[in-house]
Amino acid sequence: MTPDPPAAEAPARRGTLNARVERIFDHASDTRSLFLSLTSGKHLRFLPGQFISITIPLGDETRSRPYSVASDPEDRGPFEICFNRVEGGRGVAWLFDRRVGDTLDFSGPFGAFAIDRAPEVAELGFIAEGTAIAPIRSMLKRALASSSPSKIHLIYAAPDREHVLYAAELDEIARSAPNFSYETVIAHPEEISDRLFELAQARWVTGDADRMRHFYVCGVGKGVIRLRDLLRGAGYERRSVHYEQW
Ligand SMILES: Cc1cc2nc3c(=O)[nH]c(=O)nc-3n(C[C@H](O)[C@H](O)[C@H](O)COP(=O)(O)OP(=O)(O)OC[C@H]3O[C@@H](n4cnc5c(N)ncnc54)[C@H](O)[C@@H]3O)c2cc1C
């Protein structure tokens, strides 16, 4: 007999939760996933796309930094966060120093950049770069499990092949789910924003007159806002263009 799944931890808007590092996976030398489980033994309940806010003690200060949950909310095992080193980023450096068995405090999950039920539209467009695939991955899983599946297309940018995270998984989904397709953009970090803009424009703005799609865009910096403005300016409804800027 399969044991009952652990009880779900209700979303904690305030208050601190504590998690243990169960497993570490290095996607690349500067990009890592931590698999975390609540020390309470409960299961973290979150919406695909939401983030947790991790307490990072740095000696001279305590930071709180958001990290999106990258895993499928239906998974009953540890949940996953995925992050990359950034220049001068002391908060994320602390996360890289965590070892299996260490614990950390966090609050959440939080965030309105989330999919509860996939919208019933003909096509969903996802745009991500680097580790910003984390919330998108979780959302994709929910959208793909939808009972009335939309066509789903992902445009995913990275500085090189090594930083196309979850590539094998995305390939497998593209093979097995007829409604899913994705394309990768490999470009110098300074060019990623322009390349994403051009691709989104060609595909979803000048490509046809359909303006019923919904979009989920996530990335670092102002490129996210340019994409949002491109899509909204092209006639997509404001509420159909969801975005999260890191
Ligand atoms: C809602 C939300 C969810 C987030 N989820 C994730 C996540 O799942 N994975 C993740 O790696 N980061 C994520 N971030 C960014 C993360 O919270 C931190 O900002 C980042 O790890 C750097 O923190 P730091 O304290 O080390 O450096 P800081 O001193 O705070 O930042 C240094 C510089 O790095 C830039 N930066 C922030 N994130 C990145 C990045 N990923 N790549 C390149 N430059 C960056 C900042 O704009 C800043 O200029 C998220 C941010 C937000 C707002």
Side-chain angles (χ1 to χ4, degrees), residues 63 65-68 82-84 86 89-92 131 244 246:
R63 288 186 189 187
R65 286 287 180 270
Y67 291 92
S68 307
C82 168
F83 45 86
N84 59 288
V86 306
R90 290 174 65 210
V92 78
T131 48
E244 186 170 81
W246 293 0

Side-chain angles (χ1 to χ4, degrees), residues 31-32 49-52 56 58 63-70 80-95 110-111 113 129-135 218-221 244-246:
T31 308
R32 170 169 289 184
Q50 286 191 308
F51 63 87
I52 58 169
I56 300 182
L58 289 177
R63 288 186 189 187
S64 172
R65 286 287 180 270
Y67 291 92
S68 307
V69 184
E80 178 180 353
I81 57 167
C82 168
F83 45 86
N84 59 288
R85 287 192 191 277
V86 306
E87 213 180 315
R90 290 174 65 210
V92 78
W94 180 89
L95 270 186
F110 302 114
F113 180 68
E129 59 164 304
T131 48
I133 193 69
C218 190
V220 180
E244 186 170 81
Q245 181 192 1
W246 293 0

Side-chain angles (χ1 to χ4, degrees), residues 17-148:
L17 297 172
N18 185 258
R20 182 174 42 245
V21 179
E22 301 291 352
R23 190 159 71 85
I24 295 173
F25 176 77
D26 284 328
H27 299 267
S29 60
D30 62 353
T31 308
R32 170 169 289 184
S33 279
L34 294 185
F35 294 82
L36 304 167
S37 60
L38 297 181
T39 51
S40 65
K42 292 186 176 173
H43 174 70
L44 182 75
R45 209 168 72 203
F46 60 94
L47 292 178
Q50 286 191 308
F51 63 87
I52 58 169
S53 196
I54 298 183
T55 306
I56 300 182
L58 289 177
D60 51 340
E61 59 167 317
T62 299
R63 288 186 189 187
S64 172
R65 286 287 180 270
Y67 291 92
S68 307
V69 184
S71 42
D72 184 344
E74 309 307 328
D75 281 352
R76 282 295 177 257
F79 64 96
E80 178 180 353
I81 57 167
C82 168
F83 45 86
N84 59 288
R85 287 192 191 277
V86 306
E87 213 180 315
R90 290 174 65 210
V92 78
W94 180 89
L95 270 186
F96 269 92
D97 286 341
R98 296 310 96 205
R99 298 288 169 256
V100 170
D102 285 355
T103 59
L104 50 80
D105 290 334
F106 71 94
S107 56
F110 302 114
F113 180 68
I115 288 183
D116 189 359
R117 286 183 45 186
E120 294 187 11
V121 288
E123 185 176 1
L124 296 175
F126 290 93
I127 308 176
E129 59 164 304
T131 48
I133 193 69
I136 301 287
R137 179 183 184 229
S138 187
M139 290 172 160
L140 274 176
K141 305 242 173 181
R142 176 60 60 87
L144 285 160
S146 164
S147 55
S148 53

